[in-house]
PDB file of all heavy atoms in Angstrom:
ATOM      1  N   TYR A  17       0.832  -1.268   0.013  1.00 86.00           N
ATOM      2  CA  TYR A  17       0.051  -0.001   0.012  1.00 86.00           C
ATOM      3  C   TYR A  17       0.836   1.331   0.060  1.00 86.00           C
ATOM      4  O   TYR A  17       0.544   2.273  -0.652  1.00 86.00           O
ATOM      5  CB  TYR A  17      -0.976   0.055   1.247  1.00 86.00           C
ATOM      6  CG  TYR A  17      -2.114   1.021   1.061  1.00 86.00           C
ATOM      7  CD1 TYR A  17      -2.917   1.089  -0.082  1.00 86.00           C
ATOM      8  CD2 TYR A  17      -2.417   1.871   2.037  1.00 86.00           C
ATOM      9  CE1 TYR A  17      -3.923   1.977  -0.228  1.00 86.00           C
ATOM     10  CE2 TYR A  17      -3.383   2.808   1.985  1.00 86.00           C
ATOM     11  CZ  TYR A  17      -4.166   2.801   0.858  1.00 86.00           C
ATOM     12  OH  TYR A  17      -5.252   3.725   0.703  1.00 86.00           O
ATOM     13  N   TYR A  18       1.973   1.363   0.670  1.00 93.00           N
ATOM     14  CA  TYR A  18       2.737   2.438   0.710  1.00 93.00           C
ATOM     15  C   TYR A  18       4.028   2.405  -0.078  1.00 93.00           C
ATOM     16  O   TYR A  18       4.907   3.253  -0.123  1.00 93.00           O
ATOM     17  CB  TYR A  18       3.229   2.852   2.242  1.00 93.00           C
ATOM     18  CG  TYR A  18       2.083   3.349   2.975  1.00 93.00           C
ATOM     19  CD1 TYR A  18       1.358   2.456   3.797  1.00 93.00           C
ATOM     20  CD2 TYR A  18       1.637   4.607   2.996  1.00 93.00           C
ATOM     21  CE1 TYR A  18       0.199   2.769   4.533  1.00 93.00           C
ATOM     22  CE2 TYR A  18       0.498   5.123   3.720  1.00 93.00           C
ATOM     23  CZ  TYR A  18      -0.154   4.129   4.623  1.00 93.00           C
ATOM     24  OH  TYR A  18      -1.293   4.551   5.218  1.00 93.00           O
ATOM     25  N   ASP A  19       4.141   1.259  -0.907  1.00 94.00           N
ATOM     26  CA  ASP A  19       5.188   1.192  -1.830  1.00 94.00           C
ATOM     27  C   ASP A  19       5.131   2.249  -2.935  1.00 94.00           C
ATOM     28  O   ASP A  19       4.184   2.412  -3.517  1.00 94.00           O
ATOM     29  CB  ASP A  19       5.186  -0.172  -2.531  1.00 94.00           C
ATOM     30  CG  ASP A  19       3.875  -0.734  -2.959  1.00 94.00           C
ATOM     31  OD1 ASP A  19       2.960  -0.834  -2.076  1.00 94.00           O
ATOM     32  OD2 ASP A  19       3.643  -0.908  -4.071  1.00 94.00           O
ATOM     33  N   ALA A  20       6.271   2.935  -3.138  1.00 96.00           N
ATOM     34  CA  ALA A  20       6.150   4.204  -3.961  1.00 96.00           C
ATOM     35  C   ALA A  20       5.047   5.073  -3.495  1.00 96.00           C
ATOM     36  O   ALA A  20       4.453   5.870  -4.264  1.00 96.00           O
ATOM     37  CB  ALA A  20       6.002   3.710  -5.508  1.00 96.00           C
ATOM     38  N   GLY A  21       4.807   5.065  -2.214  1.00 96.00           N
ATOM     39  CA  GLY A  21       3.679   5.814  -1.725  1.00 96.00           C
ATOM     40  C   GLY A  21       3.960   6.430  -0.295  1.00 96.00           C
ATOM     41  O   GLY A  21       3.002   6.915   0.347  1.00 96.00           O
ATOM     42  N   TYR A  22       5.225   6.266   0.246  1.00 97.00           N
ATOM     43  CA  TYR A  22       5.414   6.755   1.479  1.00 97.00           C
ATOM     44  C   TYR A  22       5.393   8.149   1.609  1.00 97.00           C
ATOM     45  O   TYR A  22       5.200   8.869   2.670  1.00 97.00           O
ATOM     46  CB  TYR A  22       6.812   6.257   2.018  1.00 97.00           C
ATOM     47  CG  TYR A  22       7.005   6.461   3.522  1.00 97.00           C
ATOM     48  CD1 TYR A  22       6.429   5.651   4.482  1.00 97.00           C
ATOM     49  CD2 TYR A  22       7.827   7.563   3.969  1.00 97.00           C
ATOM     50  CE1 TYR A  22       6.517   5.940   5.719  1.00 97.00           C
ATOM     51  CE2 TYR A  22       7.941   7.849   5.352  1.00 97.00           C
ATOM     52  CZ  TYR A  22       7.353   7.034   6.269  1.00 97.00           C
ATOM     53  OH  TYR A  22       7.542   7.177   7.614  1.00 97.00           O
ATOM     54  N   TYR A  23       5.576   8.804   0.408  1.00 97.00           N
ATOM     55  CA  TYR A  23       5.445  10.224   0.326  1.00 97.00           C
ATOM     56  C   TYR A  23       4.183  10.668   0.916  1.00 97.00           C
ATOM     57  O   TYR A  23       3.917  11.992   1.276  1.00 97.00           O
ATOM     58  CB  TYR A  23       5.596  10.770  -1.075  1.00 97.00           C
ATOM     59  CG  TYR A  23       4.333  10.576  -1.940  1.00 97.00           C
ATOM     60  CD1 TYR A  23       3.344  11.543  -1.996  1.00 97.00           C
ATOM     61  CD2 TYR A  23       4.187   9.431  -2.626  1.00 97.00           C
ATOM     62  CE1 TYR A  23       2.188  11.304  -2.643  1.00 97.00           C
ATOM     63  CE2 TYR A  23       3.026   9.144  -3.317  1.00 97.00           C
ATOM     64  CZ  TYR A  23       1.995  10.167  -3.345  1.00 97.00           C
ATOM     65  OH  TYR A  23       0.901   9.941  -4.045  1.00 97.00           O
ATOM     66  N   ALA A  24       3.230   9.782   0.929  1.00 97.00           N
ATOM     67  CA  ALA A  24       1.757  10.193   1.374  1.00 97.00           C
ATOM     68  C   ALA A  24       1.887  10.853   2.831  1.00 97.00           C
ATOM     69  O   ALA A  24       1.039  11.764   3.102  1.00 97.00           O
ATOM     70  CB  ALA A  24       0.919   8.881   1.368  1.00 97.00           C
ATOM     71  N   TYR A  25       2.648  10.356   3.699  1.00 96.00           N
ATOM     72  CA  TYR A  25       2.779  10.876   4.975  1.00 96.00           C
ATOM     73  C   TYR A  25       3.069  12.442   5.026  1.00 96.00           C
ATOM     74  O   TYR A  25       2.652  13.183   5.786  1.00 96.00           O
ATOM     75  CB  TYR A  25       3.692  10.134   5.920  1.00 96.00           C
ATOM     76  CG  TYR A  25       3.068   8.857   6.306  1.00 96.00           C
ATOM     77  CD1 TYR A  25       3.435   7.598   5.741  1.00 96.00           C
ATOM     78  CD2 TYR A  25       2.074   8.769   7.281  1.00 96.00           C
ATOM     79  CE1 TYR A  25       2.866   6.387   6.117  1.00 96.00           C
ATOM     80  CE2 TYR A  25       1.425   7.577   7.683  1.00 96.00           C
ATOM     81  CZ  TYR A  25       1.850   6.470   7.078  1.00 96.00           C
ATOM     82  OH  TYR A  25       1.240   5.204   7.402  1.00 96.00           O
ATOM     83  N   VAL A  26       3.971  12.814   4.122  1.00 97.00           N
ATOM     84  CA  VAL A  26       4.499  14.196   3.956  1.00 97.00           C
ATOM     85  C   VAL A  26       3.358  14.953   3.231  1.00 97.00           C
ATOM     86  O   VAL A  26       3.028  16.085   3.680  1.00 97.00           O
ATOM     87  CB  VAL A  26       5.772  14.325   3.270  1.00 97.00           C
ATOM     88  CG1 VAL A  26       6.305  15.658   3.150  1.00 97.00           C
ATOM     89  CG2 VAL A  26       6.836  13.401   3.876  1.00 97.00           C
ATOM     90  N   TRP A  27       2.880  14.432   2.105  1.00 97.00           N
ATOM     91  CA  TRP A  27       1.942  15.188   1.262  1.00 97.00           C
ATOM     92  C   TRP A  27       0.621  15.424   2.048  1.00 97.00           C
ATOM     93  O   TRP A  27       0.185  16.472   2.010  1.00 97.00           O
ATOM     94  CB  TRP A  27       1.753  14.413  -0.056  1.00 97.00           C
ATOM     95  CG  TRP A  27       0.886  15.052  -1.048  1.00 97.00           C
ATOM     96  CD1 TRP A  27       1.311  15.849  -2.082  1.00 97.00           C
ATOM     97  CD2 TRP A  27      -0.467  14.915  -1.247  1.00 97.00           C
ATOM     98  NE1 TRP A  27       0.281  16.284  -2.850  1.00 97.00           N
ATOM     99  CE2 TRP A  27      -0.758  15.708  -2.401  1.00 97.00           C
ATOM    100  CE3 TRP A  27      -1.525  14.336  -0.562  1.00 97.00           C
ATOM    101  CZ2 TRP A  27      -2.143  15.844  -2.887  1.00 97.00           C
ATOM    102  CZ3 TRP A  27      -2.764  14.471  -0.894  1.00 97.00           C
ATOM    103  CH2 TRP A  27      -3.089  15.227  -2.058  1.00 97.00           C
ATOM    104  N   SER A  28       0.182  14.397   2.676  1.00 97.00           N
ATOM    105  CA  SER A  28      -1.017  14.471   3.409  1.00 97.00           C
ATOM    106  C   SER A  28      -0.915  15.418   4.643  1.00 97.00           C
ATOM    107  O   SER A  28      -1.881  16.102   4.950  1.00 97.00           O
ATOM    108  CB  SER A  28      -1.560  13.186   3.929  1.00 97.00           C
ATOM    109  OG  SER A  28      -0.566  12.553   4.742  1.00 97.00           O
ATOM    110  N   ASP A  29       0.288  15.479   5.296  1.00 97.00           N
ATOM    111  CA  ASP A  29       0.581  16.332   6.441  1.00 97.00           C
ATOM    112  C   ASP A  29       0.404  17.829   5.986  1.00 97.00           C
ATOM    113  O   ASP A  29      -0.215  18.774   6.586  1.00 97.00           O
ATOM    114  CB  ASP A  29       1.835  16.151   7.002  1.00 97.00           C
ATOM    115  CG  ASP A  29       1.903  16.459   8.448  1.00 97.00           C
ATOM    116  OD1 ASP A  29       0.785  16.573   9.181  1.00 97.00           O
ATOM    117  OD2 ASP A  29       3.003  16.629   9.091  1.00 97.00           O
ATOM    118  N   VAL A  30       1.097  18.135   4.836  1.00 98.00           N
ATOM    119  CA  VAL A  30       1.067  19.551   4.288  1.00 98.00           C
ATOM    120  C   VAL A  30      -0.566  19.894   3.964  1.00 98.00           C
ATOM    121  O   VAL A  30      -0.851  20.963   4.423  1.00 98.00           O
ATOM    122  CB  VAL A  30       1.824  19.572   2.961  1.00 98.00           C
ATOM    123  CG1 VAL A  30       1.503  20.880   2.233  1.00 98.00           C
ATOM    124  CG2 VAL A  30       3.297  19.451   3.246  1.00 98.00           C
ATOM    125  N   HIS A  31      -1.303  18.988   3.491  1.00 98.00           N
ATOM    126  CA  HIS A  31      -2.573  19.376   3.149  1.00 98.00           C
ATOM    127  C   HIS A  31      -3.535  19.324   4.436  1.00 98.00           C
ATOM    128  O   HIS A  31      -4.526  20.139   4.355  1.00 98.00           O
ATOM    129  CB  HIS A  31      -3.163  18.414   1.940  1.00 98.00           C
ATOM    130  CG  HIS A  31      -2.511  18.748   0.661  1.00 98.00           C
ATOM    131  ND1 HIS A  31      -1.262  18.092   0.228  1.00 98.00           N
ATOM    132  CD2 HIS A  31      -2.924  19.447  -0.290  1.00 98.00           C
ATOM    133  CE1 HIS A  31      -0.967  18.630  -0.990  1.00 98.00           C
ATOM    134  NE2 HIS A  31      -1.939  19.379  -1.281  1.00 98.00           N
ATOM    135  N   ALA A  32      -3.199  18.507   5.303  1.00 98.00           N
ATOM    136  CA  ALA A  32      -3.877  18.541   6.694  1.00 98.00           C
ATOM    137  C   ALA A  32      -3.834  19.905   7.352  1.00 98.00           C
ATOM    138  O   ALA A  32      -4.814  20.385   7.734  1.00 98.00           O
ATOM    139  CB  ALA A  32      -3.498  17.323   7.468  1.00 98.00           C
ATOM    140  N   PHE A  33      -2.528  20.431   7.399  1.00 98.00           N
ATOM    141  CA  PHE A  33      -2.433  21.752   7.914  1.00 98.00           C
ATOM    142  C   PHE A  33      -3.342  22.756   7.330  1.00 98.00           C
ATOM    143  O   PHE A  33      -3.962  23.666   7.878  1.00 98.00           O
ATOM    144  CB  PHE A  33      -0.997  22.237   7.781  1.00 98.00           C
ATOM    145  CG  PHE A  33      -0.110  21.797   8.899  1.00 98.00           C
ATOM    146  CD1 PHE A  33       0.463  20.565   8.983  1.00 98.00           C
ATOM    147  CD2 PHE A  33       0.134  22.675   9.939  1.00 98.00           C
ATOM    148  CE1 PHE A  33       1.270  20.187   9.950  1.00 98.00           C
ATOM    149  CE2 PHE A  33       0.958  22.265  10.962  1.00 98.00           C
ATOM    150  CZ  PHE A  33       1.647  21.071  10.999  1.00 98.00           C
ATOM    151  N   ASP A  34      -3.375  22.654   5.885  1.00 98.00           N
ATOM    152  CA  ASP A  34      -4.215  23.558   5.149  1.00 98.00           C
ATOM    153  C   ASP A  34      -5.605  23.525   5.392  1.00 98.00           C
ATOM    154  O   ASP A  34      -6.350  24.419   5.714  1.00 98.00           O
ATOM    155  CB  ASP A  34      -3.934  23.381   3.613  1.00 98.00           C
ATOM    156  CG  ASP A  34      -4.404  24.480   2.668  1.00 98.00           C
ATOM    157  OD1 ASP A  34      -4.512  25.616   3.204  1.00 98.00           O
ATOM    158  OD2 ASP A  34      -4.492  24.222   1.479  1.00 98.00           O
ATOM    159  N   LEU A  35      -6.222  22.183   5.444  1.00 98.00           N
ATOM    160  CA  LEU A  35      -7.624  22.048   5.810  1.00 98.00           C
ATOM    161  C   LEU A  35      -7.893  22.487   7.175  1.00 98.00           C
ATOM    162  O   LEU A  35      -8.924  23.039   7.478  1.00 98.00           O
ATOM    163  CB  LEU A  35      -7.974  20.509   5.679  1.00 98.00           C
ATOM    164  CG  LEU A  35      -7.836  19.934   4.295  1.00 98.00           C
ATOM    165  CD1 LEU A  35      -8.076  18.457   4.308  1.00 98.00           C
ATOM    166  CD2 LEU A  35      -8.854  20.677   3.296  1.00 98.00           C
ATOM    167  N   PHE A  36      -7.024  22.225   8.150  1.00 98.00           N
ATOM    168  CA  PHE A  36      -7.232  22.675   9.568  1.00 98.00           C
ATOM    169  C   PHE A  36      -7.214  24.056   9.807  1.00 98.00           C
ATOM    170  O   PHE A  36      -7.856  24.604  10.690  1.00 98.00           O
ATOM    171  CB  PHE A  36      -6.096  21.963  10.406  1.00 98.00           C
ATOM    172  CG  PHE A  36      -6.378  22.080  11.911  1.00 98.00           C
ATOM    173  CD1 PHE A  36      -7.503  21.464  12.498  1.00 98.00           C
ATOM    174  CD2 PHE A  36      -5.568  22.852  12.720  1.00 98.00           C
ATOM    175  CE1 PHE A  36      -7.763  21.477  13.822  1.00 98.00           C
ATOM    176  CE2 PHE A  36      -5.965  22.941  14.094  1.00 98.00           C
ATOM    177  CZ  PHE A  36      -6.951  22.156  14.619  1.00 98.00           C
ATOM    178  N   SER A  37      -6.558  24.844   8.853  1.00 98.00           N
ATOM    179  CA  SER A  37      -6.575  26.297   9.002  1.00 98.00           C
ATOM    180  C   SER A  37      -8.003  26.866   8.869  1.00 98.00           C
ATOM    181  O   SER A  37      -8.296  27.905   9.532  1.00 98.00           O
ATOM    182  CB  SER A  37      -5.722  26.913   7.892  1.00 98.00           C
ATOM    183  OG  SER A  37      -6.323  26.683   6.655  1.00 98.00           O
ATOM    184  N   ARG A  38      -8.968  26.143   8.281  1.00 98.00           N
ATOM    185  CA  ARG A  38     -10.400  26.780   8.261  1.00 98.00           C
ATOM    186  C   ARG A  38     -10.993  26.438   9.540  1.00 98.00           C
ATOM    187  O   ARG A  38     -11.789  27.322  10.060  1.00 98.00           O
ATOM    188  CB  ARG A  38     -11.188  26.025   7.140  1.00 98.00           C
ATOM    189  CG  ARG A  38     -12.522  26.502   7.036  1.00 98.00           C
ATOM    190  CD  ARG A  38     -13.248  26.134   5.752  1.00 98.00           C
ATOM    191  NE  ARG A  38     -14.620  26.511   5.865  1.00 98.00           N
ATOM    192  CZ  ARG A  38     -15.531  26.097   4.985  1.00 98.00           C
ATOM    193  NH1 ARG A  38     -15.190  25.539   3.888  1.00 98.00           N
ATOM    194  NH2 ARG A  38     -16.844  26.499   5.059  1.00 98.00           N
ATOM    195  N   PHE A  39     -10.677  25.379  10.292  1.00 98.00           N
ATOM    196  CA  PHE A  39     -11.144  25.182  11.603  1.00 98.00           C
ATOM    197  C   PHE A  39     -10.545  26.263  12.577  1.00 98.00           C
ATOM    198  O   PHE A  39     -11.199  26.778  13.448  1.00 98.00           O
ATOM    199  CB  PHE A  39     -10.900  23.820  12.116  1.00 98.00           C
ATOM    200  CG  PHE A  39     -11.725  22.783  11.503  1.00 98.00           C
ATOM    201  CD1 PHE A  39     -11.384  22.065  10.398  1.00 98.00           C
ATOM    202  CD2 PHE A  39     -13.099  22.463  12.062  1.00 98.00           C
ATOM    203  CE1 PHE A  39     -12.131  21.012   9.899  1.00 98.00           C
ATOM    204  CE2 PHE A  39     -13.942  21.462  11.668  1.00 98.00           C
ATOM    205  CZ  PHE A  39     -13.417  20.801  10.382  1.00 98.00           C
ATOM    206  N   GLN A  40      -9.318  26.507  12.440  1.00 97.00           N
ATOM    207  CA  GLN A  40      -8.663  27.502  13.191  1.00 97.00           C
ATOM    208  C   GLN A  40      -9.280  28.982  13.042  1.00 97.00           C
ATOM    209  O   GLN A  40      -9.459  29.674  13.973  1.00 97.00           O
ATOM    210  CB  GLN A  40      -7.107  27.572  12.957  1.00 97.00           C
ATOM    211  CG  GLN A  40      -6.322  26.370  13.408  1.00 97.00           C
ATOM    212  CD  GLN A  40      -4.996  26.430  12.929  1.00 97.00           C
ATOM    213  OE1 GLN A  40      -4.575  26.504  11.763  1.00 97.00           O
ATOM    214  NE2 GLN A  40      -3.919  26.427  13.786  1.00 97.00           N
ATOM    215  N   ALA A  41      -9.669  29.177  11.912  1.00 97.00           N
ATOM    216  CA  ALA A  41     -10.320  30.438  11.533  1.00 97.00           C
ATOM    217  C   ALA A  41     -11.757  30.513  12.037  1.00 97.00           C
ATOM    218  O   ALA A  41     -12.171  31.555  12.694  1.00 97.00           O
ATOM    219  CB  ALA A  41     -10.294  30.654  10.154  1.00 97.00           C
ATOM    220  N   ASN A  42     -12.447  29.401  12.052  1.00 97.00           N
ATOM    221  CA  ASN A  42     -13.971  29.476  12.354  1.00 97.00           C
ATOM    222  C   ASN A  42     -14.171  28.866  13.791  1.00 97.00           C
ATOM    223  O   ASN A  42     -15.388  28.981  14.197  1.00 97.00           O
ATOM    224  CB  ASN A  42     -14.743  28.634  11.395  1.00 97.00           C
ATOM    225  CG  ASN A  42     -14.530  29.215   9.959  1.00 97.00           C
ATOM    226  OD1 ASN A  42     -14.282  30.498   9.834  1.00 97.00           O
ATOM    227  ND2 ASN A  42     -14.843  28.450   8.893  1.00 97.00           N
ATOM    228  N   GLY A  43     -13.267  28.117  14.400  1.00 97.00           N
ATOM    229  CA  GLY A  43     -13.547  27.446  15.655  1.00 97.00           C
ATOM    230  C   GLY A  43     -13.337  26.014  15.436  1.00 97.00           C
ATOM    231  O   GLY A  43     -13.851  25.340  14.570  1.00 97.00           O
ATOM    232  N   LEU A  44     -12.621  25.433  16.451  1.00 97.00           N
ATOM    233  CA  LEU A  44     -12.148  24.006  16.279  1.00 97.00           C
ATOM    234  C   LEU A  44     -13.348  22.975  16.375  1.00 97.00           C
ATOM    235  O   LEU A  44     -13.191  21.811  15.886  1.00 97.00           O
ATOM    236  CB  LEU A  44     -11.217  23.622  17.393  1.00 97.00           C
ATOM    237  CG  LEU A  44      -9.892  24.263  17.423  1.00 97.00           C
ATOM    238  CD1 LEU A  44      -8.828  23.636  18.361  1.00 97.00           C
ATOM    239  CD2 LEU A  44      -9.209  24.460  16.040  1.00 97.00           C
TER     240      LEU A  44
END
C-alpha cells in the first residue's frame, strides 16, 4: 500500500495543515 507511496505521510501532512486552517479560523 505505501510502496512508492510513503510520500503520502508528507504530502497529506501538508494538506492537513491547510484544511485545519479553516477550523482555526472558524472554531475547532
